[in-house]
Amino acid sequence: MEYKLITAEHYELVIEHLRGNFFADEPLNRAAGLCQRGDGNTELEYLSLATLQDQLSVMAVDGRPDSATYGQIAGVILNGILLPGDTEKALDKLQLSEDSNYKKIFELLYRHCLQSNLFAHYNVDRIFDVRILSVDSRFRGQGIAKELVRRAEHMARKCNFKLLKADATGIFSQKILFSSGFKPFSEQLYAKYTNDAGEIILPVEAPHIKLQLLTKQLNDG
Ligand code: ACO
């Protein structure tokens, strides 16, 4: 597997990879019924492209010349820079969204992040935000996600970030990030995330039971 920084020439292929995998498979996207496999999603694609432009994202590409999937993207980790005020602005903008499913997902993520107040807690003025971790279903279970997380951390260290953060929405991303030294900062059980009528807003399927906001401090040189 070859691991490369994602640059502008790859953006289209990255979006295609996400349409075929993350958009349909990620636990909250699935619970909200955001997309059918292969379909696009305007807002998630906008968010992905904005994140790519921070130039901190990495992809895994099949580098075996004899393979049927030679040259194809096997996985990506999309990382962005989070600055104070960004989540407040994103939440304001979310109110204008016409995609009610997207809104449900990002209301949860943004409000949970705001409650956590990470900038004040860690006394940092920017955070390396792991936004999307996605591996093509044909390549799962081979350690690609783990290696993408390792490369993301390397990038964060190189760029002098002091804090990494991820909204891990499922049990597997949580396991992968724990094993990379991330720690739970706060969490929300999906069964307790309900509307005024007591109905569960995002009926996330087992084995995923909670959102975890995970952090990793990089003050160890
Ligand atoms: N069942 C059981 N264990 C699993 C599974 C699974 N489906 N997926 C990963 N794991 C475990 C592995 O066994 C491994 O554990 P080990 O080190 O103890 O052996 C560990 O997790 C690492 O697995 P990888 O092989 O590195 O993970 P993979 O490359 O398969 O990618 C991922 C995992 C990214 C979660 C993939 O399944 C995927 O793309 N899912 C859909 C999108 C998604 O949910 N992304 C994460 C959302 S959170 C976020 O993006 C910040």
Side-chain angles (χ1 to χ4, degrees):
M1 203 52 65
E2 289 173 4
Y3 291 86
K4 301 180 189 171
L5 183 71
I6 301 174
T7 52
E9 74 211 87
H10 307 120
Y11 289 178
E12 230 175 280
L13 284 176
V14 171
I15 297 295
E16 206 179 293
H17 159 85
L18 294 175
R19 287 180 184 156
N21 295 279
F22 186 90
F23 288 4
D25 288 350
E26 184 277 331
L28 296 184
N29 294 353
R30 266 177 82 96
L34 190 72
C35 287
Q36 295 300 312
R37 189 171 308 284
D39 282 357
N41 179 275
T42 308
E43 307 211 32
L44 210 42
E45 286 174 27
Y46 179 87
L47 182 75
S48 304
L49 287 166
T51 300
L52 286 168
Q53 277 158 14
D54 286 342
Q55 297 186 55
L56 297 169
S57 299
V58 179
M59 62 183 178
V61 175
D62 186 349
R64 300 162 301 169
D66 55 339
S67 149
T69 48
Y70 176 61
Q72 291 185 25
I73 293 181
V76 298
I77 189 160
L78 268 49
N79 311 302
I81 304 170
L82 189 68
L83 298 173
D86 281 356
T87 309
E88 288 86 341
K89 272 186 237 154
L91 189 57
D92 281 350
K93 196 171 153 221
L94 190 63
Q95 306 316 314
L96 307 173
S97 169
E98 286 171 6
D99 183 338
S100 60
N101 292 328
Y102 180 87
K103 224 169 157 177
K104 269 189 213 167
I105 297 168
F106 281 87
E107 282 261 0
L108 167 61
L109 297 179
Y110 290 155
R111 289 195 192 284
H112 189 82
C113 180
L114 282 178
Q115 277 165 18
S116 303
N117 205 2
L118 295 175
F119 293 102
H121 183 90
Y122 289 102
N123 192 24
V124 292
D125 56 9
R126 58 184 197 138
I127 297 173
F128 186 97
D129 189 13
V130 177
R131 297 199 184 130
I132 289 187
L133 177 60
S134 168
V135 172
D136 186 310
S137 52
R138 294 169 299 175
F139 292 89
R140 289 183 191 158
Q142 300 174 28
I144 294 173
K146 250 183 169 170
E147 181 60 19
L148 285 166
V149 171
R150 203 181 68 77
R151 303 242 173 186
E153 181 179 331
H154 179 72
M155 183 90 72
R157 284 187 191 278
K158 220 171 72 184
C159 299
N160 293 317
F161 281 87
K162 296 282 173 263
L163 186 72
L164 286 91
K165 166 241 163 195
D167 297 318
T169 54
I171 193 164
F172 303 124
S173 55
Q174 287 158 8
K175 183 175 171 193
I176 291 161
L177 289 157
F178 287 163
S179 73
S180 306
F182 281 71
K183 303 236 162 18
F185 184 85
S186 55
E187 59 186 42
Q188 170 69 54
L189 286 172
Y190 296 130
K192 297 218 165 138
Y193 187 62
T194 52
N195 62 18
D196 293 342
E199 296 155 346
I200 294 173
I201 296 172
L202 287 159
V204 180
E205 284 171 16
H208 313 293
I209 55 164
K210 61 190 172 189
L211 163 69
Q212 283 192 318
L213 193 161
L214 304 173
T215 57
K216 181 166 183 177
Q217 281 185 280
L218 298 182
N219 44 14
D220 51 353

